[in-house]
Amino acid sequence: MTSETKEARVLEAIRERRDLVNAAIDEELPIQEPERLYEATRYILEAGGKRLRPTVATLAAEAVTGTDPLGADFREFAALDGNTVDVMRAAVAIEVIQSFTLIHDDIMDEDDLRRGVPAVHEQYDTSTAILAGDTLYSKAFEFMTETGADPQNGLEAMRMLASTCTEICEGQALDVAFESRDDILPEEYLEMVELKTAVLYGASAATPALLLGADEEVVDALYQYGIDSGRAFQIQDDVLDLTVPSEDLGKQRGSDLVEGKETLITLHARQQGVDVDGLVDADTPAEVTEEAIDDAVAALEEVGSIAYARDTAEDLTERSKEHLEILPESGSRELLADLADYLIVRGY
């Protein structure tokens, strides 16, 4: 199978599951009083997004049980003990957590755009945006209590979601702290990426396995699949921030570099003697020019920093796919492997 064929299969799987997730979001998170609050909670969800994490969750549920892709109703998915679990509600909970983090990240980073439209705090106001994020956070746990899973399995899933949210906050705190340091080690960066980004992919893959009653070894393998593919995704996202046009990114290209955020790219460049802080002469993403970013990218490419980041992402992706070998062979397992590849090619 060619890489183009694999990508087409993944895109179709994402599209089909995105439609299901969007319909479930309409059901689980309706506009209600106070309307402005709930409009704000829905705003970022309706602004777009591929629903990659719910795609991972639904594929993982199928892969654990050997179910054909889209071969069962996610609202009444057969668990390994014979009961039924609302896997879709768990998938929505994970997507809602992702949206909560984006709203708060945009406030902290003072980013004006998200997915090509004004960020929630720009469209509404900062107070409403904070409340919308907090509401999404709370709703995620509410949804996770309503999956119908075995009580012990549901408790473990709730524990994973809670620890994941804590780790995301820890990762964000490290990311902020890194902005005032110039002595960050690559292993510190990878730890930050794991906490800030990868743990939610790990939870996306492992939570369905917990809810469906899979063995601990299977749960752990799926979690590590999510961790490694999530770290690869974030590293590639750092590459895309520099190399993809602003209109495709939905935000200003090179914003991470302008804001002084350390990435595997800049850490590698510093080790090669590059004056990373002097690559761009702008205080905010709104002030930077495309020509300035082009020059910065050329300097980073010359010392091999962008290639280094890409190679690291590819190595992590290959490792992530090895974790899937514990699962029975199925079309859903194949799609999980192909999705890991897709994340470092077209993840934005």
Side-chain angles (χ1 to χ4, degrees):
M1 185 182 298
T2 66
S3 59
E4 290 80 8
T5 302
K6 286 183 178 181
E7 184 174 329
R9 288 179 65 238
V10 170
L11 285 172
E12 180 66 11
I14 291 172
R15 184 193 64 76
E16 292 171 334
R17 289 155 201 270
R18 182 177 64 234
D19 290 344
L20 293 173
V21 171
N22 287 344
I25 289 172
D26 287 341
E27 295 176 20
E28 303 292 348
L29 199 64
I31 302 295
Q32 59 192 56
E33 292 293 339
E35 282 193 18
R36 182 175 173 82
L37 171 64
Y38 282 95
E39 286 173 356
T41 64
R42 289 291 299 268
Y43 175 77
I44 193 170
L45 288 162
E46 293 173 350
K50 289 186 172 71
R51 312 299 188 227
L52 293 174
R53 293 156 192 82
T55 294
V56 169
T58 52
L59 282 171
E62 292 170 340
V64 165
T65 56
T67 304
D68 291 333
L70 300 180
D73 182 355
F74 292 119
R75 287 294 196 179
E76 297 181 343
F77 201 89
L80 296 173
D81 61 4
N83 294 322
T84 59
V85 173
D86 190 340
V87 170
M88 181 54 68
R89 187 165 282 150
V92 169
I94 289 166
E95 182 66 13
V96 163
I97 287 292
Q98 166 67 2
S99 295
F100 141 71
T101 66
L102 295 181
I103 291 174
H104 284 197
D105 281 359
D106 287 342
I107 295 170
M108 294 175 65
D109 296 341
E110 299 181 350
D111 286 338
D112 296 334
L113 292 176
R114 172 66 67 176
R115 294 170 176 166
V117 300
V120 177
H121 66 277
E122 289 290 327
Q123 182 70 14
Y124 294 88
D125 54 68
T126 300
S127 296
T128 300
I130 292 171
L131 288 171
D134 291 347
T135 300
L136 289 171
Y137 175 84
S138 302
K139 283 289 184 182
F141 287 92
E142 181 181 322
F143 297 156
M144 197 64 80
T145 66
E146 298 171 343
T147 65
D150 173 86
Q152 184 60 40
N153 296 339
L155 179 61
E156 292 301 321
M158 287 281 286
R159 182 178 289 118
M160 174 168 286
L161 187 63
S163 63
T164 296
C165 290
T166 300
E167 288 169 329
I168 290 171
C169 293
E170 292 171 351
Q172 181 68 8
L174 287 175
D175 195 19
V176 171
F178 284 0
E179 293 178 19
S180 60
R181 289 179 53 193
D182 57 7
D183 60 345
I184 302 160
L185 300 174
E187 52 266 33
E188 291 181 284
Y189 171 79
L190 290 173
E191 178 190 9
M192 182 274 290
V193 165
E194 179 171 331
L195 292 170
K196 182 178 177 181
T197 300
V199 291
L200 191 55
Y201 274 103
S204 299
T207 295
L210 284 170
L211 292 171
L212 296 171
D215 293 341
E216 182 178 350
E217 189 177 10
V218 172
V219 173
D220 290 344
L222 279 166
Y223 186 77
Q224 290 305 316
Y225 159 82
I227 291 294
D228 286 335
S229 58
R231 289 198 295 174
F233 171 81
Q234 182 58 58
I235 292 169
Q236 182 66 0
D237 189 62
D238 295 337
V239 173
L240 296 175
D241 181 74
L242 291 169
T243 59
V244 172
S246 299
E247 57 267 26
D248 293 333
L249 279 176
K251 63 178 183 177
Q252 174 59 51
R253 180 170 70 108
S255 60
D256 289 348
L257 188 62
V258 175
E259 293 166 356
K261 291 185 178 180
E262 292 290 8
T263 66
L264 204 61
I265 299 168
T266 58
L267 291 175
H268 181 271
R270 288 184 191 280
Q271 291 177 336
Q272 312 312 307
V274 175
D275 177 16
V276 172
D277 299 326
L279 284 175
V280 178
D281 184 17
D283 294 326
T284 67
E287 297 174 5
V288 74
T289 65
E290 290 295 322
E291 292 77 15
I293 297 300
D294 287 339
D295 291 343
V297 169
L300 294 168
E301 286 179 335
E302 185 176 354
V303 296
S305 298
I306 291 178
Y308 171 74
R310 283 197 176 109
D311 290 343
T312 302
E314 289 174 3
D315 290 344
L316 286 166
T317 297
E318 290 305 309
R319 187 190 308 172
S320 77
K321 293 188 288 186
E322 292 174 3
H323 296 301
L324 299 177
E325 294 174 3
I326 193 173
L327 301 172
E329 291 187 12
S330 67
S332 299
R333 191 184 94 170
E334 289 179 10
L335 278 170
L336 276 175
D338 292 343
L339 179 60
D341 289 326
Y342 172 81
L343 289 176
I344 63 167
V345 178
R346 296 284 192 272
Y348 60 91

